[in-house]
Amino acid sequence: MKIRRGIAGLCIGALLAGVLPFPVSVHAYDFSDEEAWVAKCSGVQQSSADSAACNAFKEYYQQQQEELKEQISSFKDDINNLKSDLEDLESLVAKQKELIEQVNASIEEKNTAIAEIQSNIAQLEEDIAFKEEEIKKWDQQIKERMIGEQASIGTNMYIDMIMGAKDLQEMMRTMEGLQRIMESDEEQINMLKTEKEDLDQKKNEQKRLEQDAIDQKAALEAEKEQAEELKESSEQMITLYHQQEAQLQEQMRSAQVDLSTISSNLVGMDNINDYTPSTSDGWLNPISGPTSAGTWYYPGGGVHLGVDRAVAIGTPIYAPADGLVVYAANPVGSNSGYLGNWSGYPFGAGNNIALLVNVSGTTYFVTFSHMAQNGMTVSAGQSVSQGQLIGLTGNSGNSSGPHCHIEIINLGSMSITEAAEQFARTADFAWGCGWSSPATGCDSKGSTPCRERPETLIG
């Protein structure tokens, strides 16, 4: 009876077994790779220890989101206290860019996590239903076998079998046989116990993931609101910056450049001598997309000496006419731009290309700024044909977002060869027109070189 009670006790223990979670300190883990932890904890955890680790990460992650929220609130206060100091403005712009990147990355991360969690919950529901049915059958099978053994063998049959042995050797064989039966029963019961522990873990995981999905959706909505707040403040910052940009741009771009530092990006005399003059009958629109800022002034105020095409990074740029590439450089990342970033030459242009073209007998200097680093298909000294792909749009240099800034300077009757020789000596992207005044426009100035409104030429 003691043997049978022991086996029955094991069976009851298996039926009632469960897994209890235990508290773990957040500081016991290294959560520096947040993306990896989000991916891990969006999946099904195989042990209570892993589940506890994910609960600890959730607490840590919520703390990080609260800190980001406080930064955004502080940032808005900084804007309200902002004066006219450009250095303070550029500092805030850099801070804003960092906050926007954090919020957008977090939103993308949460969308991915929610989709993964929903998929895992659906799979868990199937796994739990299958395992519950499997355990039910297995449990019933063990019970039926035990009942059958009890009915056929009898309560005291184990003792009768042992004591009825003819000699010690037969008794030992009988006891060994009974031991194997008991070991088999115990093995089956232990396996059942493991299956039930696994089932409990899956049920716990289902509850954890369901709650995580609810929390992630709530956090996602909050971060979308934060993104909208940052967007509004961004527009405010951009307007303030553009109102003061011309003065700073004049100061930065009028500084004398050491030609040796840009010589590899500048047209050479050999290229100029080899160039075969070509004239286009009309202009081709180089970039398909909407205009976000026209020539002479930004929508919110501030001088703007070209046209901005607000298009996604990677939009093709085509040569607007036959001509000669006199400058081409791509020193910075395709999406590295922000207001106050003076990378590239002229300062703030980021990745850029300058062309000399002749349209209907007039020579023009055409520049494309803030381009992508990759996809630039031409180099200085190369001839281009109208409609030829020359590069891709980006967000580089002194830029508030993905776009391409186009400027066109009318050089009058000067030939492309003469213009290229002068540019090779001076690398003057303004052609003496400066960077701060719409008065250098052809309508106002009345003589060349003068600035054209690109919209009237390229559409």
Side-chain angles (χ1 to χ4, degrees):
M1 285 295 292
K2 289 182 180 180
I3 296 174
R4 181 57 64 189
R5 285 198 195 98
I7 295 174
L10 283 172
C11 185
I12 293 170
L15 292 170
L16 297 177
V19 180
L20 295 175
F22 52 91
V24 179
S25 170
V26 172
H27 304 290
Y29 303 97
D30 177 10
F31 294 135
S32 56
D33 190 350
E34 291 183 14
E35 188 175 348
W37 275 95
V38 168
K40 169 183 169 60
C41 295
S42 298
V44 180
Q45 305 307 304
Q46 301 303 314
S47 71
S48 56
D50 288 339
S51 298
C54 284
N55 286 330
F57 172 70
K58 181 178 178 180
E59 180 183 341
Y60 161 84
Y61 195 63
Q62 288 172 339
Q63 290 173 357
Q64 297 298 104
Q65 299 307 303
E66 284 300 315
E67 290 177 10
L68 177 59
K69 185 177 179 180
E70 290 176 6
Q71 288 180 23
I72 292 172
S73 178
S74 172
F75 173 74
K76 290 165 65 179
D77 291 338
D78 291 341
I79 291 178
N80 293 332
N81 297 326
L82 183 68
K83 306 301 181 185
S84 60
D85 193 310
L86 272 172
E87 288 187 6
D88 288 345
L89 183 56
E90 289 186 351
S91 175
L92 276 182
V93 167
K95 180 180 178 182
Q96 182 193 54
K97 181 176 184 289
E98 182 181 350
L99 289 173
I100 289 174
E101 288 175 351
Q102 287 183 46
V103 171
N104 288 339
S106 185
I107 287 174
E108 183 178 350
E109 198 173 68
K110 281 180 172 58
N111 279 323
T112 301
I114 289 170
E116 182 68 18
I117 287 171
Q118 297 291 11
S119 174
N120 285 322
I121 288 174
Q123 185 60 53
L124 270 175
E125 288 174 349
E126 292 182 15
D127 292 347
I128 287 171
F130 177 80
K131 193 166 286 293
E132 283 180 332
E133 185 63 27
E134 188 179 53
I135 289 174
K136 181 179 178 182
K137 291 179 180 178
W138 199 350
D139 200 27
Q140 186 64 28
Q141 185 180 15
I142 291 175
K143 288 178 180 178
E144 289 175 353
R145 191 179 70 247
M146 287 184 171
I147 292 171
E149 288 177 358
Q150 187 73 15
S152 61
I153 298 177
T155 304
N156 299 314
M157 283 302 294
Y158 286 125
I159 297 174
D160 293 343
M161 289 170 64
I162 294 170
M163 298 307 296
K166 297 177 181 178
D167 51 36
L168 182 60
Q169 187 174 3
E170 185 177 341
M171 180 184 293
M172 293 299 295
R173 282 199 304 270
T174 302
M175 291 180 68
E176 287 174 1
L178 291 172
Q179 181 65 30
R180 283 195 294 271
I181 292 173
M182 288 187 292
E183 288 174 355
S184 176
D185 283 346
E186 186 174 358
E187 182 180 353
Q188 291 288 315
I189 292 169
N190 285 336
M191 290 174 66
L192 179 59
K193 179 175 181 290
T194 300
E195 286 293 302
K196 289 186 175 180
E197 289 173 349
D198 186 44
L199 175 61
D200 288 340
Q201 173 65 16
K202 281 182 166 52
K203 287 182 176 180
N204 290 335
E205 276 299 285
Q206 183 183 27
K207 291 178 182 177
R208 183 186 70 82
L209 289 174
E210 286 173 347
Q211 186 59 49
D212 276 2
I214 293 171
D215 295 342
Q216 291 275 32
K217 288 177 182 178
L220 178 62
E221 291 305 312
E223 287 186 1
K224 285 181 179 178
E225 291 179 5
Q226 292 173 1
E228 283 300 312
E229 291 177 8
L230 283 172
K231 181 181 177 182
E232 291 176 7
S233 63
S234 175
E235 292 170 354
Q236 181 183 353
M237 293 278 286
I238 290 170
T239 298
L240 286 171
Y241 190 87
H242 287 331
Q243 289 171 356
Q244 304 174 60
E245 183 181 25
Q247 178 184 353
L248 183 59
Q249 192 159 263
E250 179 74 40
Q251 177 185 339
M252 292 294 296
R253 292 190 170 184
S254 296
Q256 190 66 34
V257 67
D258 181 354
L259 291 181
S260 65
T261 63
I262 61 170
S263 60
S264 61
N265 307 112
L266 197 60
V267 65
M269 293 306 299
D270 291 341
N271 304 124
I272 297 172
N273 293 331
D274 292 341
Y275 176 68
T276 302
S278 178
T279 298
S280 299
D281 294 330
W283 292 89
L284 173 78
N285 184 0
I287 303 172
S288 296
T291 295
S292 58
T295 309
W296 307 141
Y297 295 99
Y298 287 104
V303 174
H304 187 234
L305 301 178
V307 63
D308 286 347
R309 291 288 168 79
V311 292
I313 294 174
T315 301
I317 303 174
Y318 302 100
D322 294 349
L324 176 68
V325 180
V326 291
Y327 189 84
N330 55 346
V332 294
S334 298
N335 191 26
S336 60
Y338 57 89
L339 296 183
N341 179 348
W342 296 100
S343 61
Y345 181 81
F347 297 114
N351 305 311
N352 62 320
I353 288 176
L355 308 174
L356 285 169
V357 301
N358 189 286
V359 180
S360 302
T362 300
T363 296
Y364 299 90
F365 180 73
V366 186
T367 58
F368 301 91
S369 300
H370 314 304
M371 295 173 62
Q373 185 175 44
N374 57 304
M376 193 172 284
T377 62
V378 296
S379 57
Q382 182 177 337
S383 298
V384 294
S385 301
Q386 187 177 60
Q388 178 181 336
L389 178 69
I390 60 174
L392 306 174
T393 61
N395 175 34
S396 58
N398 187 30
S399 169
S400 59
H403 78 289
C404 185
H405 176 79
I406 306 170
E407 293 185 16
I408 299 179
I409 296 179
N410 187 327
L411 303 179
S413 60
M414 186 184 296
S415 72
I416 286 184
T417 301
E418 291 172 329
E421 289 175 349
Q422 179 175 327
F423 185 76
R425 292 193 304 270
T426 65
D428 180 10
F429 276 72
W431 291 84
C433 294
W435 300 100
S436 62
S437 174
T440 57
C442 294
D443 293 342
S444 302
K445 189 178 180 185
S447 63
T448 58
C450 58
R451 293 183 182 277
E452 296 276 9
R453 292 184 73 249
E455 304 96 305
T456 63
L457 301 178
I458 60 176

